[in-house]
Amino acid sequence: SSVHPDTDKLIPVLFRPPAFLPICLPLVIASSLQFGAKQTFFSQFVFHTYTTGFTLLNGNGTAKSEEYSVQQKQIFCSLGAISYAACIGALPLVFMNRYMLQSSLTQLVVRKLLPAPLLGLMSAFTVAVVRSPEFENGIEVMDRNGKVVGLSRKAGEKAVKETALSRAVLFGTTFFLPAFLMHFVQRAKVAKNPRALASLRMVMITSVLAGMLPVSLSMFPQCGEIKRADLEPEILSSTEETELFYNRGI
């Protein structure tokens, strides 16, 4: 968890997998409050900044390009993806305030139903954008003995898709399930005090995020597998192995 498997470089402490939950938890709670458009934009901007940095430092590190610096492109793409994702997260609140949409149905849709799919989609979007060099230039694939066979764009595409899906499931569920459960808690009037409701909501978010994190990380293996028949012709001609392996990243 401290050393990157591709580059053998130390990963900064705040972006190592053990630090993901304690750092991400307050950011998720802040992003779920939905107080106003400006507050939502700021909280989600900070949230996506951290998760994008985590993705950047824990992705596959073998993508190379002769035309440009992969790291520089990833940094520029990260800034754009973070800003776009934060704007999309705050956009429903902007429309609701701009056009004075205050009905109970609008409040339900904007504050309860939309945040979960939007955050899940934007989390997957930032992963795909930041790690785009992997499916544009390809990543290293290895045989069972760890010998590098070649660079595969198809393996890179598979790695990015799996990571983006796992991230969407993680944060989409973390936003949706507590909001869903709190709806029934409020209807049942289990807790009437606003402080008690807020505390219960924080406990639910903490429990769901802590429970979903290992589920998300284990949806796809860290050492991904891809069949030889699914790879590029130049790799097919360089090995007889039926299955090849790659670092999927986190």
Side-chain angles (χ1 to χ4, degrees):
S1 64
S2 301
V3 180
H4 195 285
D6 293 323
T7 63
D8 292 332
K9 294 181 179 179
L10 283 175
I11 299 172
V13 175
L14 296 180
F15 295 96
R16 294 174 188 173
F20 188 76
L21 178 61
I23 293 178
C24 215
L25 177 59
L27 299 179
V28 170
I29 293 175
S31 300
S32 69
L33 295 178
Q34 299 284 310
F35 281 138
K38 291 182 179 180
Q39 293 88 338
T40 299
F41 173 83
F42 177 76
S43 61
Q44 293 207 10
F45 186 89
V46 177
F47 166 79
H48 286 297
T49 298
Y50 176 75
T51 56
T52 300
F54 183 88
T55 301
L56 183 63
L57 293 170
N58 288 276
N60 188 289
T62 62
K64 298 177 178 64
S65 175
E66 297 179 355
E67 300 177 1
Y68 52 81
S69 170
V70 171
Q71 288 76 19
Q72 288 180 354
K73 180 181 179 181
Q74 286 179 313
I75 291 173
F76 284 123
C77 289
S78 298
L79 294 175
I82 291 166
S83 301
Y84 179 79
C87 288
I88 292 297
L91 194 60
L93 291 171
V94 172
F95 274 103
M96 188 180 72
N97 296 333
R98 174 67 177 80
Y99 296 103
M100 304 297 291
L101 304 175
Q102 302 297 331
S103 66
S104 57
L105 179 60
T106 304
Q107 294 282 338
L108 175 65
V109 172
V110 172
R111 297 186 180 276
K112 303 295 183 183
L113 299 181
L114 278 180
L118 281 181
L119 190 72
L121 287 172
M122 288 302 100
S123 297
F125 168 76
T126 54
V127 170
V129 171
V130 172
R131 295 181 57 177
S132 58
E134 295 180 29
F135 54 78
E136 291 176 355
N137 306 318
I139 60 175
E140 290 181 353
V141 290
M142 301 161 286
D143 59 17
R144 294 183 181 276
N145 298 320
K147 179 183 177 182
V148 176
V149 177
L151 291 174
S152 171
R153 289 186 296 274
K154 292 183 178 180
E157 181 179 354
K158 187 171 183 286
V160 174
K161 282 183 176 179
E162 291 175 348
T163 306
L165 178 59
S166 67
R167 199 69 62 81
V169 169
L170 171 63
F171 292 118
T173 305
T174 301
F175 254 48
F176 172 75
L177 197 55
F180 179 76
L181 295 175
M182 284 300 298
H183 174 71
F184 290 100
V185 168
Q186 290 173 337
R187 289 191 62 180
K189 297 181 180 180
V190 175
K192 298 180 181 180
N193 190 326
R195 290 185 178 180
L197 287 171
S199 300
L200 185 59
R201 181 181 180 84
M202 291 178 62
V203 169
M204 287 184 178
I205 292 175
T206 303
S207 302
V208 173
L209 181 60
M212 283 302 301
L213 186 57
V215 173
S216 172
L217 294 177
S218 63
M219 283 180 64
F220 305 101
Q222 176 74 29
C223 182
E225 298 181 16
I226 187 168
K227 295 186 180 300
R228 176 174 175 269
D230 296 333
L231 295 171
E232 290 84 349
E234 57 268 22
I235 297 180
L236 295 179
S237 60
S238 61
T239 182
E240 296 296 327
E241 295 278 349
T242 57
E243 289 185 342
L244 296 171
F245 305 89
Y246 57 90
N247 173 34
R248 177 178 67 85
I250 300 176

